[in-house]
Amino acid sequence: MISDFGIQTNPKSNIRNPKFTYLCTEMIIQQFYDKGLAHSSYAVIRTGKMIVIDPARDPQPYYDFAGMHDADIVGVIETHPHADFVSSHLEIHQTTGAVIYTSKLTGAEYPHESFDDGDVIKLNDIALKAINTPGHSPDSICILVEDEEGREQAIFTGDTLFVGDVGRPDLRENVGNITAKKEELARAMYHSTRDKLMKLPHSVKVYPAHGPGSLCGKNMSPDLESTIGRELRENYALQLIAEPEFVKTIIADQPFIPKYFGSDVELNKKGAPAYSVGIANILRVKGNTTLEKDVIAIDTRPNAEFKKGHEKGAINLQNGERFETWLGSIVGPDERFYLVADTEEELNKVIVKAAKIGYERNILAAISSPEYPEVPARVFDLPRFSTNPERYTVVDVRNPNETEGGLMFEGAIVIPLPELRERITEIPEDKPIVVHCAAGYRSAAAASIIADKISAVPVLDLSEAVTEIGRQKAESS
């Protein structure tokens, strides 16, 4: 297949925070980076025509960038149906008329053209070539860019090759058009890297779909771009290693899988509804309101404010850098919830983050400026705990890859935060409960979950106590 594009039109407005621009003989490659999801998407422009690769949920930055360069969006490429975010490929197609390209193995239910080995998209005199690279998923592709002289310049690797890592192979065992066991996909990754990617010229630029902090890999570099040559030297997964050892290494020590991942694969296979419409349809309430029974409230206010008073049963998931990941790890993809924030501005921020993973449809109502009766503060006697930890039940809510090397407190009950709501009955109620994590964000959420279900004994947040002791010392010095 060879595709040539006609002229399309698109909305135009101001660009919002692109990451960088790479120029080569009038070709522009632009990266858009979402730090919260560690997600990179891209725009390629050549002589007034633009292709978008792996777009995020909000399509406006791509429209803005096209307008800034007086370019028409003529194509959208999906390297695979993503698990960790909702893509705007269908909305961009509906708005601009751009053709969506994806592998035929995706089983896409939206209008598209297949883009597999041997297929080429011509963007004037440059070529975008499909390379099938199963491994992260059975339907993964990479996109090789050749300039007007036929020289290989760059490759968009999706979730196949990252800087310092390759994509995890265990996300498609039970979901997607094609399912495969992680061992099978790990073997496929071995051959995709050795037979295809590692044979490219060392100078080829590598542009992956994710950076550090993404749950689609386990060992990503802080850098957001690389070259084939650098990856051959430094990427542990591209070193000389036999296939069985590679499979064992790639499968081991992968991070947890959030609850929403499978749902997003299916949603991206179908194509998501328009972003702005979904946001606009959310019911917004200012001040207190009566909540439906058995519908949880996600309270995004700072922990100190939450402790003063909150809705019964609320989970204190503070607005932070990885809010969307933890929301989709604690709340199921079919579970309705209320969203609570201090102000309308903060509420809008967390609504946007929820929409990135397709959870705007789950919000029963979004509540700002609530007023709750103040409750007495519960004092954590940190010196007593430090001296007699055996008098407490310690709950460690870190992830398995954090606790397998040893526990901070001997005898602690290990229940990772994403599993806590389902495993709450494993916590005994005969001693005060102390919850801890690594930095305090997860323990605040976990303590709120436990305190709602266990009232016979105090539920204490160790991180909060340590923070308070540090504050008092700073004030007295």
Side-chain angles (χ1 to χ4, degrees):
M1 175 193 73
I2 298 180
S3 297
D4 290 293
F5 297 113
I7 301 298
Q8 307 290 338
T9 59
N10 55 269
K12 298 179 180 180
S13 59
N14 294 324
I15 181 66
R16 296 189 300 179
N17 300 322
K19 186 66 180 177
F20 66 86
T21 302
Y22 168 69
L23 298 170
C24 178
T25 60
E26 298 181 3
M27 175 175 66
I28 300 173
I29 295 178
Q30 183 77 28
Q31 183 191 63
F32 302 82
Y33 189 66
D34 176 356
K35 191 174 182 181
L37 287 171
H39 165 228
S40 294
S41 56
Y42 300 89
V44 182
I45 295 180
R46 177 68 168 171
T47 59
K49 295 178 181 180
M50 176 168 144
I51 299 282
V52 181
I53 299 170
D54 291 333
R57 182 68 192 279
D58 182 1
Q60 194 60 48
Y62 313 109
Y63 300 153
D64 293 345
F65 190 69
M68 180 180 178
H69 290 275
D70 197 24
D72 296 298
I73 301 176
V74 294
V76 182
I77 304 175
E78 287 286 282
T79 58
H80 63 293
H82 302 277
D84 58 317
F85 70 94
V86 174
S87 171
S88 59
H89 54 277
L90 178 58
E91 183 175 357
I92 293 174
H93 161 74
Q94 293 170 335
T95 302
T96 69
V99 177
I100 307 174
Y101 298 90
T102 191
S103 171
K104 62 186 177 184
L105 301 176
T106 299
E109 299 174 25
Y110 47 80
H112 68 283
E113 290 189 16
S114 61
F115 193 50
D116 294 280
D117 275 336
D119 292 339
V120 178
I121 300 171
K122 294 291 289 184
L123 198 58
N124 198 340
D125 57 350
I126 68 170
L128 280 66
K129 294 185 174 182
I131 304 175
N132 287 83
T133 51
H136 172 70
S137 66
D139 40 29
S140 288
I141 61 171
C142 294
I143 305 133
L144 183 64
V145 180
E146 293 183 352
D147 66 15
E148 65 275 15
E149 303 296 330
R151 294 170 299 202
E152 295 158 324
Q153 294 283 333
I155 187 164
F156 299 98
T157 53
D159 285 14
T160 299
L161 177 63
F162 301 126
V163 182
D165 202 358
V166 292
R168 65 189 298 175
D170 58 345
L171 298 183
R172 292 290 293 274
E173 294 192 302
N174 302 299
V175 67
N177 184 55
I178 300 174
T179 59
K181 295 297 183 182
K182 58 189 176 184
E183 293 82 4
E184 178 184 346
L185 285 175
R187 287 192 292 271
M189 179 67 80
Y190 183 84
H191 291 284
S192 291
T193 52
R194 269 71 183 168
D195 300 342
K196 296 182 178 182
L197 300 185
M198 292 171 66
K199 292 182 177 181
L200 294 171
H202 289 201
S203 61
V204 170
K205 287 271 191 178
V206 172
Y207 296 117
H210 289 293
S214 168
L215 294 177
C216 292
K218 63 179 179 180
N219 190 49
M220 297 183 205
S221 163
D223 297 328
L224 301 180
E225 61 166 308
S226 186
T227 63
I228 291 295
R230 173 183 168 182
E231 293 312 298
L232 289 172
R233 293 190 305 272
E234 301 178 9
N235 192 318
Y236 77 97
L238 303 190
Q239 304 311 303
L240 292 175
I241 183 174
E243 183 178 318
E245 187 179 350
F246 177 91
V247 171
K248 182 179 178 180
T249 300
I250 295 303
I251 290 173
D253 302 322
Q254 291 291 352
F256 72 96
I257 301 175
K259 292 180 172 68
Y260 77 95
F261 268 26
S263 175
D264 274 16
V265 169
E266 292 296 338
L267 181 56
N268 283 320
K269 190 165 72 76
K270 296 175 183 176
Y275 167 80
S276 59
V277 174
I279 295 291
N281 286 339
I282 295 172
L283 174 65
R284 288 169 167 80
V285 178
K286 191 167 185 178
N288 289 18
T289 186
T290 302
L291 308 189
E292 287 188 18
K293 187 179 179 182
D294 299 326
V295 177
I296 62 169
I298 300 298
D299 193 324
T300 66
R301 297 176 301 153
N303 184 245
E305 291 300 311
F306 179 85
K307 293 285 188 183
K308 291 177 182 177
H310 55 265
E311 193 71 41
K312 178 175 171 51
I315 297 174
N316 184 211
L317 192 63
Q318 301 166 81
N319 182 18
E321 190 171 288
R322 298 187 67 196
F323 171 83
E324 45 270 68
T325 296
W326 292 116
L327 175 65
S329 300
I330 295 172
V331 178
D334 298 318
E335 188 174 5
R336 304 296 300 278
F337 60 91
Y338 294 97
L339 197 59
V340 180
D342 256 337
T343 65
E344 288 187 38
E345 181 181 3
E346 286 299 309
L347 190 63
N348 287 332
K349 290 179 182 177
V350 289
I351 287 174
V352 165
K353 291 182 177 183
K356 291 180 190 178
I357 63 170
Y359 270 36
E360 81 284 355
R361 59 191 174 178
N362 301 47
I363 301 173
L364 194 57
I367 304 165
S368 63
S369 307
E371 295 182 4
Y372 301 110
E374 190 161 334
V375 297
R378 178 164 278 166
V379 179
F380 190 160
D381 190 341
L382 187 58
R384 183 174 184 269
F385 169 71
S386 300
T387 305
N388 304 285
E390 71 281 356
R391 296 183 182 180
Y392 298 79
T393 296
V394 179
V395 181
D396 187 334
V397 295
R398 293 177 297 159
N399 297 319
N401 62 335
E402 297 174 276
T403 58
E404 63 185 8
L407 302 179
M408 295 174 63
F409 298 97
E410 185 179 352
I413 299 172
V414 179
I415 307 179
L417 177 59
E419 303 172 18
L420 183 59
R421 292 176 68 201
E422 293 76 23
R423 296 175 57 188
I424 200 86
T425 56
E426 297 178 25
I427 302 173
E429 302 181 34
D430 58 339
K431 302 176 185 177
I433 297 166
V434 173
V435 188
H436 87 93
C437 61
Y441 182 88
R442 287 173 288 178
S443 64
S448 66
I449 293 170
I450 297 170
D452 177 57
K453 301 300 181 182
I454 297 177
S455 57
V457 294
V459 178
L460 307 165
D461 179 356
L462 176 61
S463 299
E464 181 188 17
V466 171
T467 300
E468 177 61 20
I469 294 295
R471 184 190 66 78
Q472 292 176 2
K473 287 182 177 179
E475 289 180 351
S476 62
S477 62

